[in-house]
Amino acid sequence: MRGAVIHAPGDVRVEERENPAIVAPTDAIIRVSATCVCGSDLWDYRGVNDVTRPTPMGHEYVGVVTETGDEVRNIAVGDFVVGSFFASDNTCEICEAGYQSRCAHAEYVGAGGAQSEYLRVPLADGTLVATPGMPDDDLIPSLLAASDVLGTGWFGAVAAEAGPGKTVAVVGDGAVGLLAVLAAKQLGAERIIAMSRHASRQKLAREFGATDIVAERGDEGVARIKELTGGYGAHSVIEAVGTQESMMQAIRSTRAGGHVGFVGVAHGVELPGEELFFAEVHLLGGPAPVRRFLPELIQLIWDREIDPGKVFDLTLPLDQAAEGYKAMDERRAVKTLLKP
Amino acid sequence: MRGAVIHAPGDVRVEERENPAIVAPTDAIIRVSATCVCGSDLWDYRGVNDVTRPTPMGHEYVGVVTETGDEVRNIAVGDFVVGSFFASDNTCEICEAGYQSRCAHAEYVGAGGAQSEYLRVPLADGTLVATPGMPDDDLIPSLLAASDVLGTGWFGAVAAEAGPGKTVAVVGDGAVGLLAVLAAKQLGAERIIAMSRHASRQKLAREFGATDIVAERGDEGVARIKELTGGYGAHSVIEAVGTQESMMQAIRSTRAGGHVGFVGVAHGVELPGEELFFAEVHLLGGPAPVRRFLPELIQLIWDREIDPGKVFDLTLPLDQAAEGYKAMDERRAVKTLLKP
C-alpha cells in the first residue's frame, strides 16, 4: 500500500509500505477513506521532536473495516468507523471514568501511520465507533475531524468547563482552537473570545460561534481579556498551542476559581508553582479522551448540526502529503485533508 | 499590647506593639482569644523567605469583637468570631464563586500580626463569621483550627474531590495534612491513605479517619499508592507540603482523570508541562478560600461532630511564642496554640 513516512525534518515521502495485518485478536484493519495532517505532526516536520529513523505518519482516520480479529464483537467488516489516536479497551476504571486516552491498555494507533491506505487499529471494540450507515461524501471531512481535532477541541472546552453563563477564551487559532470555539458554542457558552491575529481564521472562528476576537498576545492579550471581563478574567480558557507563552497566557487570562483546559501538546513548558498557587485556577489537560465524545459528536455531524469539516481548507490526494505538510508549516493552510 | 515580631530567621520576640485602630469604616477590631503558629510561618523562621525587617507574625485567630467601623452591619461588638487569613468582601464575582481568598478586594489579615492581643480585621462583614454564642473553652482550639489549618485541609479535600467511593491519599502529615484526612472522612471518602513516617502523626491520622498509612516517600511512596489502588493511583490526592518532591509525589500518585488539591504554599516548585500533560490529572490549589467553608465548619465544631483542635499538641502563653516556633521547627510539636 501507499503511506506517508517522515525521513527527516521537512522530508515527508509517500512510498510503498507493507499492508497491515491482524496482530492481536482484538485488532481490526480499516481501509482509510480520509486522513489528515495534525498540528502535532508539525513538531516532527519542524524538527522540534527528533526524527531518528523513517517513521510512518498520521493518527487521524475514518474508514471502512476490512478485517477483524477473532475477539472483535462490536465492529463488523463493512462498517464505516471513526476512531481516536489512542486505542482503548473502554472497560478499565480509567476508561469508565471517561479518560480513554489514558486507558490502562492504551496503545498509540498512530504507530501504524494513518496517512496511508490501510491501518491496523488495536482494541477495535473499545476504540472504534461505527456511524449509523455509510456517510454521504460531504460528511467525511467532519467525521474525520471528530477523530482528533474536534474531539480535542471539545475536550479542551469540557476541561475548561465551558457552558451556559460562561465567558470562554481560546488561545490558539489552529484547527483545535477553532473547533474549541465550536465546542464552547455547542456547550452553551455565553461569550466566546477567540485569540487570533489572522483574518481568515478570525472569520472561521466567528462562523463557529466566537463573539469577540482578541488579536493581542502575551501580556497584552491577557490585559484585553481582563478588560472584556470586568477585570476578573475569563471563566474558562482553552489552551490549544502547547508553548510556554501560550500556557502562561491561558493561566493569566483565567479568573481565580476558573478553569483552564490545555490540549496543546506541551513542549518545553515549565509551570511556576508559586504563580500557579496564587492564580488558583483549575487546570486539566492532556491527550483528549476522544472516545468519550465520539458517539455524541458523530450524531451531531450525522444530523448536520455542526460542520467541523470546515477546518479543512486544503484537500489533496495522499500522494501529495508532502505539499500538505508544507502548506500547514507555512500557515497557508489551517489543516490538510488527504485522500488515499 | 503584646505581640510576636520576627526580627530574623530563628528570632521571634514578643514585644510591646501599638494597639490596632479602625482604619476603614469596614474594619473591626477583635481581642484575640487564641492564635497559633502556622507551618507557613516556619518559612520565615527557617529563612526560606527573606526577613528584611521586624515583621508582626501570625494570621490565625479567634476572638471577641471590641470595636467596629461605621459600615459594619453583620458583626457586633461582643460577638465571638472566626475569620480567615484573607479578608474578603464576600460580594464580588470571585467571592460568589467561592474563592474568597482571591477576592477582588482581598487583603492579607496577617499583615496586622494575629499573634498578639488585638487584631484589626478589614472587610469585617465579609470576613468574620460569628459563632452561635460564646463558646465553651474546650471548643476554642477547634474554632481556631477552622480559621486556617482545618479550612485549608478542607479546601484541599474539596479541590481533590474527595467523596463517597473515592480513595484519597494525603501527602504531608503536618496539621493541614492531618486535617485533610479529617475532611476527606467527613466528605465520605471510602479509603484514606495518610503518607507519614512519624508514629504520633500516624496515630492522629488514624483518629481522624485514615484507613491506611504509607511511610514511603518519593518514587517508593508513589509505587505503594499504585500497589494499594490496583495499579491506577488514587482518585484524589491532597498535597500539603509545598515542595517540588511533594508536588511530584502527589501528581504521580493520582490516577489519570483524578484530582490533585494542593494547599502547601509552593516554594521553588516548577511543574514539567509535558509530564503534567500526559498525567492528565485535575490540578487545583492555592490559598484556601476558608470563608466559603466557615459556616459549615463552625457548625460541625459547635455540634461536636469534629474535633480538629486535636492538632494542637502544645499550648503556651503568647509571651512564649519563641518556644512555640522552636518546638514546631524541631518537629517536637505538630502545632502550637498561643494564648494572649
Side-chain angles (χ1 to χ4, degrees):
Chain A
M1 67 170 188
R2 306 287 290 168
V5 175
I6 192 165
H7 288 258
D11 182 9
V12 172
R13 306 177 202 164
V14 176
E15 52 196 32
E16 275 303 308
R17 294 183 50 214
E18 206 173 326
N19 273 36
I22 296 286
V23 175
T26 46
D27 288 349
I29 306 294
I30 67 169
R31 188 179 63 245
V32 177
S33 304
T35 178
C36 50
V37 182
C38 183
S40 69
D41 293 333
L42 296 183
W43 294 110
D44 295 331
Y45 188 80
R46 291 172 173 161
V48 179
N49 293 339
D50 286 338
V51 179
T52 54
R53 58 170 182 279
T55 307
M57 291 296 288
H59 53 266
E60 299 159 281
Y61 57 94
V62 293
V64 176
V65 178
T66 56
E67 196 183 347
T68 61
D70 290 343
E71 292 175 18
V72 175
R73 298 283 170 271
N74 306 335
I75 296 293
V77 169
D79 283 350
F80 189 93
V81 291
V82 187
S84 163
F85 45 95
F86 270 116
S88 53
D89 61 23
N90 214 24
T91 58
C92 75
E93 287 190 27
I94 305 299
C95 285
E96 282 186 346
Y99 291 86
Q100 288 92 340
S101 47
R102 300 287 286 112
C103 168
H105 302 106
E107 284 183 56
Y108 183 55
V109 181
Q115 291 161 9
S116 59
E117 292 180 275
Y118 292 88
L119 178 69
R120 180 178 76 89
V121 180
L123 301 169
D125 275 343
T127 306
L128 298 171
V129 178
T131 55
M134 286 305 283
D136 294 337
D137 274 358
D138 69 322
L139 287 183
I140 286 182
S142 287
L143 291 167
L144 175 62
S147 96
D148 183 353
V149 272
L150 173 61
T152 296
W154 198 274
F155 174 58
V158 168
E161 300 214 346
K166 299 283 187 76
T167 294
V168 179
V170 180
V171 179
D173 62 2
V176 170
L178 292 167
L179 290 172
V181 169
L182 179 151
K185 169 79 174 172
Q186 282 292 314
L187 292 166
E190 188 173 301
R191 192 172 186 186
I192 303 167
I193 307 168
M195 303 189 86
S196 170
R197 50 175 62 180
H198 301 86
S200 61
R201 292 165 190 241
Q202 291 175 356
K203 183 167 170 287
L204 196 47
R206 288 210 185 266
E207 283 177 44
F208 282 153
T211 54
D212 301 78
I213 303 285
V214 165
E216 291 85 350
R217 289 190 189 174
D219 291 348
E220 287 173 25
V222 171
R224 279 290 294 147
I225 298 288
K226 291 271 171 79
E227 213 177 289
L228 290 168
T229 54
Y232 292 119
H235 299 94
S236 303
V237 178
I238 301 150
E239 191 286 333
V241 182
T243 62
Q244 184 73 26
E245 189 194 17
S246 62
M247 275 298 283
M248 297 318 298
Q249 185 175 323
I251 289 168
R252 292 172 183 160
S253 297
T254 309
R255 65 178 58 197
H259 292 76
V260 178
F262 62 102
V263 291
V265 183
H267 276 75
V269 173
E270 293 278 337
L271 299 183
E274 197 166 346
E275 177 169 348
L276 199 60
F277 185 84
F278 288 101
E280 202 146 8
V281 298
H282 299 74
L283 267 192
L284 172 63
V290 174
R291 179 62 182 82
R292 188 205 310 178
F293 309 114
L294 274 182
E296 180 184 1
L297 299 181
I298 289 172
Q299 199 60 51
L300 284 169
I301 292 163
W302 204 259
D303 296 341
R304 296 177 186 274
E305 291 189 19
I306 58 175
D307 190 3
K310 280 186 190 171
V311 292
F312 294 107
D313 52 355
L314 179 63
T315 296
L316 295 171
L318 173 62
D319 272 332
Q320 294 175 36
E323 165 56 19
Y325 276 78
K326 198 154 182 281
M328 280 176 65
D329 179 42
E330 295 168 0
R331 290 181 79 85
R332 284 184 282 118
V334 174
K335 196 164 174 75
T336 307
L337 185 146
L338 299 172
K339 289 190 143 170
Chain B
M1 69 169 186
R2 308 286 291 167
V5 174
I6 192 164
H7 288 257
D11 182 8
V12 172
R13 306 177 202 164
V14 176
E15 52 196 31
E16 276 302 310
R17 293 183 52 214
E18 206 173 327
N19 273 38
I22 297 285
V23 175
T26 46
D27 287 349
I29 306 294
I30 68 169
R31 189 178 64 245
V32 176
S33 303
T35 178
C36 50
V37 182
C38 184
S40 69
D41 294 332
L42 296 182
W43 294 110
D44 296 330
Y45 188 79
R46 291 172 173 161
V48 179
N49 293 341
D50 286 339
V51 179
T52 53
R53 59 170 182 278
T55 307
M57 291 296 288
H59 54 265
E60 299 160 282
Y61 58 94
V62 292
V64 177
V65 177
T66 58
E67 197 183 346
T68 60
D70 291 342
E71 291 176 17
V72 174
R73 299 280 171 273
N74 306 335
I75 296 292
V77 170
D79 283 351
F80 189 94
V81 292
V82 188
S84 163
F85 45 96
F86 270 116
S88 53
D89 61 23
N90 215 25
T91 58
C92 76
E93 286 189 29
I94 305 299
C95 285
E96 282 185 346
Y99 291 86
Q100 288 91 340
S101 48
R102 300 287 285 113
C103 168
H105 303 105
E107 285 183 55
Y108 182 54
V109 181
Q115 291 161 9
S116 58
E117 292 180 274
Y118 291 89
L119 178 69
R120 181 177 76 89
V121 180
L123 300 170
D125 275 343
T127 306
L128 298 171
V129 179
T131 55
M134 286 305 284
D136 294 337
D137 274 359
D138 69 322
L139 287 184
I140 286 181
S142 287
L143 291 168
L144 175 62
S147 97
D148 183 352
V149 271
L150 173 60
T152 296
W154 199 274
F155 174 58
V158 168
E161 301 214 344
K166 298 283 186 77
T167 293
V168 178
V170 180
V171 179
D173 62 1
V176 170
L178 292 167
L179 290 172
V181 169
L182 179 151
K185 170 77 174 173
Q186 282 292 315
L187 292 166
E190 188 173 301
R191 192 172 187 187
I192 303 168
I193 308 169
M195 304 190 86
S196 170
R197 49 176 62 180
H198 301 87
S200 62
R201 292 165 189 243
Q202 290 174 357
K203 183 168 169 286
L204 197 47
R206 288 210 186 265
E207 283 176 45
F208 283 152
T211 55
D212 300 79
I213 303 285
V214 165
E216 291 85 350
R217 289 190 190 174
D219 291 348
E220 287 173 26
V222 172
R224 279 290 293 145
I225 298 288
K226 291 270 170 79
E227 214 177 289
L228 290 168
T229 54
Y232 292 119
H235 299 95
S236 303
V237 178
I238 300 150
E239 191 285 335
V241 183
T243 62
Q244 184 72 27
E245 188 193 20
S246 62
M247 275 298 284
M248 296 318 298
Q249 185 175 321
I251 290 167
R252 292 171 184 161
S253 297
T254 309
R255 66 178 57 197
H259 292 76
V260 178
F262 62 102
V263 290
V265 183
H267 276 74
V269 172
E270 293 278 338
L271 300 182
E274 196 166 346
E275 177 169 348
L276 198 61
F277 185 84
F278 288 101
E280 203 147 8
V281 297
H282 298 74
L283 267 192
L284 172 63
V290 174
R291 179 63 183 81
R292 189 205 311 179
F293 309 114
L294 275 182
E296 179 183 2
L297 299 181
I298 289 172
Q299 199 60 52
L300 285 168
I301 292 164
W302 204 260
D303 297 341
R304 294 176 186 278
E305 290 189 21
I306 58 175
D307 189 3
K310 279 186 191 172
V311 293
F312 295 107
D313 51 356
L314 179 62
T315 297
L316 294 172
L318 174 61
D319 272 333
Q320 293 176 36
E323 165 57 18
Y325 276 78
K326 197 154 184 283
M328 281 176 64
D329 179 42
E330 294 169 0
R331 290 182 78 86
R332 285 183 282 118
V334 174
K335 196 165 174 73
T336 306
L337 185 146
L338 298 172
K339 289 189 143 169

